[in-house]
Amino acid sequence: MPTADLADFQRDQLATTGAVTIDEALLAGWPVDLSLQATLGQPALQVSNAAIDETAGRLEIRGKASLLGVVDVPVTAVFEDRPAGTAFTLTADMPEAWHFGQSFPALASGFIDTLPIA
């Protein structure tokens, strides 16, 4: 879906529900199989307090979401038109005290849980 169409869809959704939902139905059929369930452990990402910015070929959605078991995480979702299709990037600003073991209990006793996250 071109970013211009996606922007209209997300603006309508924001006006109707007060939030923007990025889910697997929205991402279905993209060149790369994006499975939110596999990567984030949840089938959808609901962005509250959302702000939508659109420029030519680029859509940016900023707000807060529950992510990896942490509530109100500042997130930025970017959709960009590229020659091979639309690219999707999600950036999350996890709390400073967050560590992998909080979201992935199997990692709580391993060295990866002690790695600093910047």
Side-chain angles (χ1 to χ4, degrees):
M1 174 183 304
T3 56
D5 295 340
L6 184 59
D8 290 341
F9 175 77
Q10 297 293 23
R11 280 193 188 94
D12 289 346
Q13 190 179 56
L14 182 60
T16 304
T17 67
V20 170
T21 300
I22 300 167
D23 59 14
E24 294 192 10
L26 177 69
L27 302 176
W30 285 27
V32 176
D33 179 25
L34 295 172
S35 173
L36 296 176
Q37 185 66 46
T39 56
L40 301 177
Q42 57 195 63
L45 186 70
Q46 186 172 36
V47 182
S48 60
N49 301 322
I52 298 174
D53 292 320
E54 181 188 9
T55 58
R58 187 178 202 289
L59 171 65
E60 183 175 298
I61 302 167
R62 292 179 319 282
K64 293 189 176 189
S66 293
L67 182 68
L68 299 173
V70 182
V71 297
D72 291 333
V73 175
V75 296
T76 302
V78 177
F79 299 86
E80 291 182 284
D81 290 336
R82 295 197 179 157
T86 303
F88 171 67
T89 306
L90 177 67
T91 305
D93 187 12
M94 299 302 282
E96 191 172 321
W98 180 83
H99 52 93
F100 282 102
Q102 284 180 267
S103 301
F104 305 98
L107 300 176
S109 61
F111 81 93
I112 201 164
D113 196 40
T114 63
L115 295 174
I117 304 297

